[in-house]
């Protein structure tokens, strides 16, 4: 905590940052854990997210609690995805794991590789979407919020959430098919 507070100027902002940390840490950790699966990596992602938030805290200090929560989750998710991407370049340990499979497991290996490639493509294309569509899709499918929760977090109507999800899925589908 002391590391983060070193980047925050005023005492009032330090108190506010500490409250934001306590309120959002668990949620941010869960988001990172869903993407990275490892405890240490998830903690690293949350740590880096809080560092980024602390360094730019004067910009964000005036946000409402809901928007601050959404910001914290988004920063963590983006950092975790970056970390996940770096891991996806098959490391030697992954190659050792693949070598353990018997020849009859070849189709399983191919499925794993295809699934990783598809996940990588979806994440790349998702980042090209307009922010309102991307954030809505991420809240729905990565963070598993209901439409009502998304509406509350983004301070929009549930119908607007449905429209954004529909448009986002359509645009994502178009972009994925155009890459093939």
């Amino acid at each position: 905590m002391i590391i983060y507070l070193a980047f925050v100027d005023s005492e009032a902002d330090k108190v506010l940052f500490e409250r934001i940390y306590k309120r959002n840490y668990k949620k941010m950790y869960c988001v990172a854990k869903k993407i990275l699966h490892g405890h240490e990596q998830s903690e690293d992602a949350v740590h880096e997210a809080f560092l980024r938030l602390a360094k730019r805290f004067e910009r964000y200090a005036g946000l409402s609690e809901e928007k601050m929560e959404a910001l914290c989750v988004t920063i963590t998710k983006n950092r975790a995805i970056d970390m996940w991407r770096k891991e996806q370049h098959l490391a030697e340990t992954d190659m050792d794991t693949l070598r353990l499979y018997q020849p009859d497991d070849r189709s399983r290996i191919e499925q794993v590789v295809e699934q990783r490639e598809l996940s990588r493509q979806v994440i790349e294309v998702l980042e090209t979407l307009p922010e309102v569509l991307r954030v809505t899709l991420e809240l729905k499918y990565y963070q598993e919020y209901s439409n009502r929760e998304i509406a509350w977090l983004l301070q929009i109507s549930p119908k607007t959430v449905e429209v954004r999800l529909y448009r986002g899925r359509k645009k994502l589908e178009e972009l994925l098919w155009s890459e093939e």
Side-chain angles (χ1 to χ4, degrees), residues 17-152:
F17 189 89
E18 192 170 344
R19 190 171 65 219
I20 291 167
Y21 179 90
K22 288 177 182 176
R23 178 172 286 141
N24 294 295
Y25 180 85
K26 287 181 184 178
K27 184 173 289 192
M28 293 167 70
Y29 176 82
C30 289
V31 167
K33 183 87 171 182
K34 282 182 183 179
I35 296 168
L36 297 170
H37 304 293
H39 173 71
E40 291 84 11
Q41 294 169 316
S42 301
E43 284 189 341
D44 288 347
V46 173
H47 169 71
E48 290 184 27
F50 274 120
L51 274 177
R52 289 180 186 200
L53 182 65
K55 288 178 181 178
R56 297 179 183 100
F57 194 67
E58 65 279 351
R59 274 191 214 164
Y60 305 125
L63 292 177
S64 67
E65 287 182 22
E66 295 83 20
K67 288 186 179 184
M68 182 60 75
E69 178 181 333
L71 176 67
C72 289
V73 167
T74 301
I75 293 172
T76 304
K77 179 211 45 94
N78 289 338
R79 186 61 202 128
I81 289 172
D82 288 345
M83 293 170 72
W84 179 82
R85 278 192 191 137
K86 287 179 185 175
E87 287 177 15
Q88 294 310 304
H89 298 290
L90 292 175
E92 287 181 22
T93 54
D94 288 355
M95 293 303 288
D96 291 340
T97 303
L98 291 176
R99 286 185 196 118
L100 293 175
Y101 289 110
Q102 299 300 317
D104 56 315
D105 289 334
R106 186 170 188 84
S107 63
R108 165 110 170 85
I109 294 170
E110 290 170 358
Q111 288 175 340
V112 168
V113 170
E114 286 175 8
Q115 189 174 18
R116 284 185 178 176
E117 178 62 22
L118 180 61
S119 294
R120 183 192 60 74
Q121 288 174 340
V122 169
I123 291 170
E124 285 178 4
V125 170
L126 189 62
E127 290 182 350
T128 66
L129 292 177
E131 186 174 354
V132 293
L133 299 179
R134 181 180 49 79
V135 168
T136 307
L137 287 170
E138 288 170 353
L139 289 170
K140 179 70 174 183
Y141 297 107
Y142 285 105
Q143 298 173 25
E144 300 177 358
Y145 282 108
S146 70
N147 290 5
R148 181 175 290 155
E149 291 171 322
I150 295 169
W152 182 80

Side-chain angles (χ1 to χ4, degrees), residues 164-180:
R164 286 183 184 179
L165 289 171
Y166 174 79
R167 289 179 182 165
R169 285 190 302 262
K170 284 295 186 192
K171 187 71 174 167
L172 191 61
E173 185 178 330
E174 288 172 17
L175 293 170
L176 284 170
W177 284 109
S178 70
E179 284 191 356
E180 291 182 0

